[in-house]
Amino acid sequence: MANAMKAMLLSLSSSSLVSNPTRFLSKFPSFSISQSSFTKAPPGFPSFCTSISTDQAAPSSTTAVVAETDNNSSSSIKDVAGLLDLRVGLILKAWKHDEADSLYVEEVDIGEPQPRIICSGLVNYIPLQLLQGKKVIVIANLKPRNMRGVKSSGMLMAASDAKRENIELLFPPEEAIPGERIWFGLEDEKDDQPDAATPNQLQKKKVWELVQPHLKTDSSCVAMLGEHVMRTSAGSVACQSLQNANIS
C-alpha cells in the first residue's frame, strides 16, 4: 500500500512540472541572448560586435573621417589630412639648442598672439643662417613635446630623400601670409576644409601616421598628397630641389 501511494505522488508531481513549466522556470534567472546585450562592451574590454543599437551615440566627425580610410582611397586620405592644422609660418629667430647638438630652436610666427617655440633636428642639414626670416610650413596641432628641456609646440615640414641624407624645408610662396591655413586640392577648395582635430584627437586617431606615407614631392618639387596639391592662397607649397621625395 505504501509503495502504491508513493508511486501516485511521484506521478502527480511529474505531471505538474510538465504541464506548467513557467512556474518552474520563474524560480531561476533568465539567460536569454538579445542583440542589445552585445552592443556595449564591458569597461576595459574591446567590442567586436558590428551591430549598433539605435540609441547609441553617433560618432564624432573626426572619428567618421578617420574611419573612411579603411578603403585607402585618395579622397578619404584627403579628408583625414584636412584634420591636420597646417599653417604658414615665419621663422623670427633661430638658435642652436643648448642641450642637444642636433637640434635648432625656432620662434615661429603662425598668426597667433605669441610666436610658437619649435625644435627641429636640422642642424646637420640646414645652415642656421638660412633659417632666419624664412617662411615655412608648420603642423600646429601636434601635442607639445619636451625636447631636452625645451617645450616644442609644432613641427616644421620638410622633404627628404630615401636615405635621409638630404633634407629641405617646405616653403610657401613669398606672398603667403603667416597664420594662413593650408589645404590639399584645387584652388577653390580652401573653404571646404573640416575643422582641425584637437591635439588629443590627432594622437588618438593616429592622423599623422595615416597621412604621412601619402605625402611626397612631385617631379617639379611641389608638395603633394597623392594627386592633391598642397596649397596656400598665394600658390602651391614646394621644396628647393628634392624631386619625388618623402615629406615629414
Side-chain angles (χ1 to χ4, degrees):
M1 182 68 175
N3 289 338
M5 289 295 292
K6 187 175 182 179
M8 184 182 298
L9 289 172
L10 287 172
S11 175
L12 288 171
S13 176
S14 176
S15 63
S16 175
L17 289 174
V18 172
S19 61
N20 193 5
T22 57
R23 288 176 57 195
F24 177 77
L25 293 174
S26 66
K27 299 178 183 296
F28 295 87
S30 170
F31 295 96
S32 62
I33 299 175
S34 66
Q35 180 180 350
S36 62
S37 302
F38 291 94
T39 56
K40 294 183 179 179
F45 292 86
S47 172
F48 298 97
C49 181
T50 57
S51 62
I52 301 176
S53 61
T54 56
D55 60 347
Q56 193 169 357
S60 68
S61 59
T62 301
T63 302
V65 169
V66 172
E68 289 179 3
T69 59
D70 288 344
N71 61 15
N72 205 35
S73 70
S74 175
S75 60
S76 64
I77 291 297
K78 178 185 172 186
D79 289 339
V80 176
L83 301 175
L84 295 170
D85 191 5
L86 306 180
R87 300 281 174 171
V88 174
L90 173 65
I91 298 178
L92 304 175
K93 183 181 178 182
W95 63 96
K96 286 188 176 180
H97 195 300
D98 292 337
E99 303 295 331
D101 293 339
S102 64
L103 295 178
Y104 288 132
V105 183
E106 303 100 7
E107 285 187 4
V108 187
D109 176 10
I110 61 167
E112 296 174 335
Q114 298 296 325
R116 293 277 187 109
I117 299 296
I118 297 176
C119 294
S120 304
L122 299 172
V123 170
N124 297 325
Y125 305 100
I126 300 175
L128 182 60
Q129 63 269 21
L130 296 184
L131 294 179
Q132 311 290 351
K134 184 174 180 64
K135 287 188 177 176
V136 291
I137 307 302
V138 176
I139 305 180
N141 59 339
L142 295 174
K143 270 192 168 184
R145 294 177 58 193
N146 190 309
M147 301 184 75
R148 296 289 189 91
V150 176
K151 185 178 179 181
S152 179
S153 300
M155 186 175 82
L156 305 186
M157 298 189 72
S160 61
D161 58 22
K163 295 183 179 180
R164 291 189 66 83
E165 294 176 347
N166 298 286
I167 295 179
E168 296 177 356
L169 287 170
L170 298 186
F171 60 87
E174 190 58 37
E175 299 79 16
I177 299 173
E180 181 183 15
R181 191 176 175 198
I182 292 162
W183 74 98
F184 298 97
L186 303 175
E187 293 181 5
D188 59 359
E189 291 183 296
K190 176 181 179 179
D191 297 329
D192 296 336
Q193 298 178 86
D195 292 337
T198 65
N200 282 335
Q201 289 173 328
L202 207 70
Q203 183 180 61
K204 182 178 180 181
K205 301 301 179 182
K206 299 186 181 299
V207 172
W208 174 241
E209 291 82 353
L210 288 168
V211 172
Q212 190 275 325
H214 300 271
L215 290 168
K216 294 185 180 296
T217 61
D218 65 8
S219 59
S220 299
C221 303
V222 173
M224 305 286 294
L225 176 77
E227 62 186 19
H228 306 290
V229 176
M230 183 185 287
R231 294 187 184 275
T232 73
S233 296
S236 58
V237 174
C239 70
Q240 188 67 38
S241 63
L242 294 178
Q243 301 173 325
N244 305 311
N246 297 319
I247 293 175
S248 59

